[in-house]
Amino acid sequence: MHFKTLAESFDKIEHVSSRLAMTDLLADLFKKSKADEIARIVYLCQGKLAPAFKDIEVGMGESYVEEGIAKASGYSKADVDKEFKKRGDLGLVAQEFFSKKKQRSLFSSELSIGKVFKNLIKIATVSGSGSQQLKIKLLAELLNSASPIEAKYLVRIPLGNLRLGIGDPTIMDSFAKNLSEEARKNKALVKGVEKKLKEKKEEKREAELEKKIRLKVRELIESKYNVYSDLGGLAEKLAEKGLKGLEKIEITPGVPIRPTLAERLPTAKEIVEKLGRCAVEAKYDGFRLAIHKDKGKVTIFSRRQENVTDMFPEITDAVRKQIKAVDAIFEGEALVFNEETEEYFPFQVTIQRKRKYDIDKMAKEFPLTLFAFDLLYANGKSLMNLPFKKRRERLGKMIGKGKTIELTESIETDKTEEVESFFNESVEKGLEGIIAKDLNAGYIAGARKFAWIKLKRSYKGELGDTVDTVILGFFKGKGKRTQFGLGGLLTGVYDEKEDKFKSLAKIGTGMTEEMLSDLHKMLSKIKEGKKPARIDSELKPDYWVEPKYVIEVNADEITRSPIHTAGKKKGEQGFALRFPRMIKIRQDKKAEQATTVKEIEAMFKRQKHVGLSE
Ligand code: AMP
């Protein structure tokens, strides 16, 4: 495919706002793509060159991109910069400058996706002296052959934001659309769906069947994506083999799995009523790590599926020494723990281990202990469908002697009092609370289905749990805060159904002066000229930002609100946080991993209950 065809599709997508229209356009685009280029197109739609866990970022600063534009268009860098200050989007500046280009290139030729990728990968991987100049040259080389519309997207890719507003759920919708014709011919699938049809009238039944089939295919795709976080790789298999390709997708060491999530209940009593006899584990406050061992190769993924192997050398060593299986995927929470005093360090200490420099020094000073809590794969076999009790037993057997990796503290009980006293013990030790686990549940990737239930320590006048909100925009500071350029944040939660971020709270307290200026720096880089397509908010901040950063927030309660859109339905008000205060930035979460509208609704319903600490 020519890059121009892709750029034209992107342009159309950028100008529609309904998710349905976006899905149709994407489905058309994927239909037109060849099987061997589809993965790359998917990565580009995600604003990347490879699946996120491969850590290949084009990453060019604005100033270098400006130089690239100047070099290829014949305008000066000062001209480019001036226009950028006016428009706030270098993509638009490039599009404009290339439509009135001063110099015609002698060698301009049609750009293929292959060529674009080749240069971008080179830009992403060159390092050392002179690499910045080479990056500019490689970008300018592409721009030289570009039409205005191509220039717009070529420039946005290295800046890491295509501004298309496409989320993974919409990409998966479009795969499902393209597969639904094949699915109609799949007898087993159709039979399964037909059983659930409610419509009696023949003509309506047909439309219902069509819709249900597509939903079923969408579900299948998502269930695979949950255990194989490479949407491009998945698309390639679908393009090659259709629905059969899905069967080929298996949990694989080296490819991250979406983590299972914990539900909340406000009391030990309700936990026991819900789960009956269950495992109750201490809830540690550190980094959630997924460890992949593939013979001698160890890869560590964070909760947001970044490859963080290099940050934790003592864990990599311990996996080689302590883990007996040839290959394995297991999860645990890592934190700084002093074995002699049995002291768990607070998160503020552990967080210092998230760094790119002085790693060895810090690993000696603040070594981590990994408290392992689940096993998903061992010796060539997926264990995801095994009941938790069995997985934990196998995990215990797999961990050999050593100090760095141990099992989480845990009891098995069906008695409320025992859960309560274990909870109190954990809190006394400085831990966050407990997580109860369904002994019979399989590992539920990427979802929250009462297989895990958390109970956190809480204080009077607080919600039973904190809320993780996404920053949607910010307000200029007033009075003393003018100096920081930021006085408050507009934040929201994730609506999974609509794949949108909906407003929940304006937050102006809880930030130190240092936090305010850090936030201002971070957010200035992702400012948007207009409201991004995936944001749904009636409140207007001074600046919109790309929904990217998640912050943990505490509040007194959840209230009904006419001004926020989270949970807002026809004739009903939305939800808001009363007295919200920022606790910290949750670097371990992506925007889509923030608290969901559904959770807020559940927390709202439950908040009348009396918590343990009251
Ligand atoms: P939260 O982030 O508050 O929703 O709580 C869920 C998180 O608790 C998980 O993602 C883990 O990072 C962490 N955690 C701490 N201890 C455990 C444990 N024993 N089992 C599972 N998750 C745990």
Side-chain angles (χ1 to χ4, degrees):
M1 183 185 285
H2 286 310
F3 185 69
K4 192 161 180 208
T5 315
L6 184 63
E8 282 164 358
S9 290
F10 281 168
D11 196 48
K12 279 192 200 140
I13 291 170
E14 193 180 334
H15 289 98
V16 295
S17 57
S18 99
R19 181 157 166 208
L20 256 152
M22 237 182 228
T23 306
D24 289 348
L25 288 166
L26 271 174
D28 280 346
L29 171 67
F30 293 134
K31 230 187 226 165
K32 275 191 278 192
S33 326
K34 288 199 217 105
D36 63 352
E37 59 192 12
I38 203 159
R40 293 167 169 190
I41 296 174
V42 170
Y43 300 139
L44 284 180
C45 290
Q46 293 178 312
K48 306 224 146 50
L49 296 181
F53 64 89
K54 293 246 165 98
D55 215 7
I56 301 179
E57 298 282 340
V58 192
M60 271 175 88
E62 277 156 7
S63 166
Y64 294 118
V65 172
E66 284 181 353
E67 264 184 60
I69 299 174
K71 211 173 171 129
S73 66
Y75 285 83
S76 70
K77 189 179 167 197
D79 287 339
V80 178
D81 192 55
K82 196 167 146 216
E83 198 58 23
F84 175 44
K85 295 254 153 59
K86 234 179 12 201
R87 312 191 64 154
D89 174 2
L90 275 174
L92 291 179
V93 175
Q95 183 175 20
E96 185 189 317
F97 280 19
F98 280 82
S99 58
K100 45 180 196 188
K101 192 171 169 179
K102 279 191 176 165
Q103 66 193 24
R104 286 263 147 235
S105 160
L106 287 176
F107 304 104
S108 77
S109 59
E110 289 234 54
L111 282 173
S112 66
I113 289 190
K115 169 69 186 165
V116 169
F117 245 77
K118 203 169 141 206
N119 278 29
L120 291 176
I121 295 268
K122 241 193 222 162
I123 294 177
T125 48
V126 289
S127 60
S129 73
S131 61
Q132 288 306 347
Q133 282 313 311
L134 182 58
K135 286 180 190 209
I136 294 166
K137 194 174 145 241
L138 287 161
L139 178 65
E141 190 194 327
L142 292 177
L143 288 171
N144 254 328
S145 308
S147 60
I149 199 91
E150 287 171 289
K152 172 162 133 189
Y153 294 101
L154 276 174
V155 156
R156 283 182 184 172
I157 299 167
L159 294 171
N161 186 2
L162 279 176
R163 298 172 187 250
L164 297 180
I166 308 175
D168 290 350
T170 312
I171 300 181
M172 287 190 271
D173 286 353
S174 71
F175 295 164
K177 182 176 186 218
N178 284 347
L179 284 172
S180 59
E181 209 179 299
E182 184 194 338
R184 293 274 335 224
K185 294 180 197 142
N186 183 316
K187 285 201 186 103
L189 201 147
V190 173
K191 224 172 168 182
V193 172
E194 265 173 343
K195 272 194 219 143
K196 293 188 198 135
L197 293 185
K198 291 192 194 93
E199 200 51 70
K200 294 279 170 286
K201 284 188 198 131
E202 200 48 47
E203 64 282 18
K204 286 199 178 157
R205 250 179 107 79
E206 185 53 32
E208 198 195 350
L209 180 66
E210 187 77 41
K211 204 168 134 197
K212 286 242 154 74
I213 286 179
R214 201 191 298 180
L215 274 177
K216 179 79 205 163
V217 175
R218 172 69 172 72
E219 246 175 64
L220 288 172
I221 295 171
E222 182 156 358
S223 68
K224 289 297 182 181
Y225 186 37
N226 284 342
V227 298
Y228 189 86
S229 299
D230 175 357
L231 203 53
L234 200 144
E236 195 170 283
K237 294 217 165 70
L238 294 180
E240 278 166 1
K241 301 219 158 63
L243 278 175
K244 274 221 144 37
L246 277 183
E247 291 161 23
K248 302 257 176 297
I249 293 162
E250 292 280 358
I251 149 175
T252 313
V255 180
I257 295 161
R258 281 172 81 187
T260 201
L261 306 170
E263 295 271 4
R264 312 174 170 79
L265 280 177
T267 61
K269 185 163 171 272
E270 278 164 273
I271 292 181
V272 172
E273 274 166 15
K274 182 88 193 171
L275 296 180
R277 191 169 178 79
C278 57
V280 183
E281 298 187 13
K283 186 174 191 303
Y284 305 84
D285 195 8
F287 305 126
R288 179 175 186 165
L289 300 179
I291 317 286
H292 290 231
K293 179 182 183 211
D294 188 2
K295 299 189 189 81
K297 188 172 163 91
V298 177
T299 317
I300 307 177
F301 293 112
S302 70
R303 191 183 165 158
R304 43 185 302 171
Q305 287 136 315
E306 297 150 319
N307 186 336
V308 289
T309 316
D310 293 342
M311 282 183 199
F312 311 120
E314 74 271 43
I315 294 184
T316 309
D317 280 352
V319 172
R320 295 206 179 102
K321 286 187 194 129
Q322 282 185 255
I323 300 301
K324 297 176 195 157
V326 179
D327 51 14
I329 301 177
F330 67 102
E331 272 193 300
E333 189 88 356
L335 69 162
V336 184
F337 173 61
N338 183 336
E339 224 187 327
E340 275 156 34
T341 57
E342 296 210 336
E343 186 187 2
Y344 298 95
F345 282 69
F347 188 70
Q348 288 83 325
V349 175
T350 302
I351 186 78
Q352 297 183 57
R353 292 297 314 275
K354 196 168 171 34
R355 54 170 56 231
K356 292 200 168 126
Y357 308 102
D358 294 335
I359 289 173
D360 289 326
K361 185 175 148 245
M362 287 299 277
K364 283 212 180 82
E365 206 168 324
F366 294 115
L368 294 172
T369 302
L370 179 73
F371 293 92
F373 54 70
D374 216 323
L375 176 64
L376 288 77
Y377 181 95
N379 296 325
K381 279 207 184 77
S382 166
L383 308 178
M384 307 227 341
N385 295 327
L386 225 56
F388 173 65
K389 192 178 162 79
K390 291 251 156 57
R391 297 202 305 278
R392 171 133 181 143
E393 276 165 18
R394 291 195 53 174
L395 178 65
K397 282 187 197 144
M398 194 183 80
I399 303 174
K401 270 202 186 121
K403 288 185 179 158
T404 304
I405 305 175
E406 26 180 300
L407 273 180
T408 47
E409 253 188 86
S410 157
I411 58 165
E412 226 182 271
T413 181
D414 56 0
K415 297 202 174 56
T416 303
E417 311 79 66
E418 283 183 18
V419 177
E420 282 182 356
S421 60
F422 190 75
F423 174 89
N424 290 332
E425 267 170 43
S426 304
V427 171
E428 265 166 41
K429 284 183 200 155
L431 299 173
E432 267 196 305
I434 51 164
I435 298 204
K437 298 186 176 175
D438 182 344
L439 291 166
N440 301 312
Y443 187 90
I444 300 162
R448 200 183 295 276
K449 282 195 185 146
F450 285 103
W452 289 9
I453 306 174
K454 62 180 162 178
L455 182 65
K456 289 214 251 186
R457 62 176 176 222
S458 67
Y459 307 97
K460 260 205 165 66
E462 287 185 0
L463 290 173
D465 192 6
T466 51
V467 175
D468 295 325
T469 61
V470 184
I471 302 177
L472 309 178
F474 64 95
F475 300 91
K476 282 189 260 186
K478 281 192 199 126
K480 194 167 168 261
R481 290 205 172 165
T482 345
Q483 54 177 313
F484 305 111
L486 183 147
L489 303 169
L490 176 67
T491 68
V493 279
Y494 184 49
D495 187 322
E496 292 170 293
K497 241 178 160 173
E498 295 179 32
D499 186 25
K500 287 208 159 144
F501 299 95
K502 305 205 161 178
S503 79
L504 179 78
K506 262 169 80 171
I507 302 173
T509 43
M511 300 101 154
T512 58
E513 298 194 343
E514 196 186 338
M515 268 166 155
L516 284 171
S517 66
D518 284 353
L519 279 166
H520 183 249
K521 253 188 247 147
M522 274 164 53
L523 297 177
S524 298
K525 289 193 192 132
I526 54 165
K527 263 201 273 188
E528 299 271 357
K530 60 175 196 242
K531 186 170 75 175
R534 290 166 83 204
I535 292 182
D536 179 2
S537 166
E538 287 160 20
L539 274 180
K540 232 178 123 239
D542 291 322
Y543 302 103
W544 294 105
V545 296
E546 175 201 346
K548 180 170 177 177
Y549 295 113
V550 176
I551 58 169
E552 188 176 351
V553 178
N554 208 341
D556 283 9
E557 61 176 337
I558 297 169
T559 54
R560 281 287 183 183
S561 151
I563 54 170
H564 287 290
T565 51
K568 194 167 195 161
K569 293 176 203 143
K570 240 191 184 154
E572 261 181 50
Q573 298 189 338
F575 294 110
L577 296 181
R578 199 166 104 95
F579 299 136
R581 43 213 182 255
M582 171 161 169
I583 301 177
K584 62 171 187 268
I585 297 174
R586 287 221 42 175
Q587 284 168 334
D588 61 329
K589 281 196 166 184
K590 304 192 255 211
E592 289 82 359
Q593 293 173 325
T595 302
T596 60
V597 171
K598 218 168 118 195
E599 285 177 81
I600 294 289
E601 214 172 321
M603 286 172 85
F604 177 73
K605 280 190 193 139
R606 288 205 188 101
Q607 70 188 0
K608 286 178 194 74
H609 289 258
V610 179
L612 259 185
S613 56
E614 293 200 334

